[in-house]
Amino acid sequence: MTNAILAFAASETGALGVEWVVFSSLSVGLALGAIALISATSQGTAREAEGMVSSYVIDDRFDTEQEVMRLQQAARAAADVRY
């Protein structure tokens, strides 16, 4: 009986199982924390995008040649701006 108790006390299989449980729970906790952080940030960004997109008006008519030239000139001017 004493040998069985000493063998059980010296065995590390239980400790190994506990380590796996602790490391697994830490990993899950870290993942949940990261998800919560990313979720809060992405919700704010999505609200900003919604605010910007909701004011867009879709132009469903064809542009004339003069409008196309004006838009091309505006695009070239915007590309020349240095930040």
Side-chain angles (χ1 to χ4, degrees):
M1 178 74 172
T2 307
N3 288 341
I5 293 173
L6 291 175
F8 177 75
S11 174
E12 294 184 8
T13 56
L16 185 60
V18 171
E19 288 175 4
W20 274 103
V21 169
V22 169
F23 289 141
S24 298
S25 63
L26 288 175
S27 298
V28 169
L30 182 63
L32 289 175
I35 289 171
L37 182 65
I38 291 170
S39 174
T41 305
S42 63
Q43 286 178 357
T45 305
R47 286 191 187 105
E48 285 181 30
E50 178 188 9
M52 291 171 48
V53 172
S54 66
S55 64
Y56 286 160
V57 177
I58 297 174
D59 184 12
D60 59 350
R61 61 182 175 79
F62 291 106
D63 293 330
T64 62
E65 283 187 40
Q66 291 82 13
E67 289 174 332
V68 170
M69 289 176 59
R70 183 180 53 81
L71 291 171
Q72 288 174 343
Q73 289 172 350
R76 282 191 212 107
D80 289 338
V81 174
R82 303 284 182 219
Y83 293 101

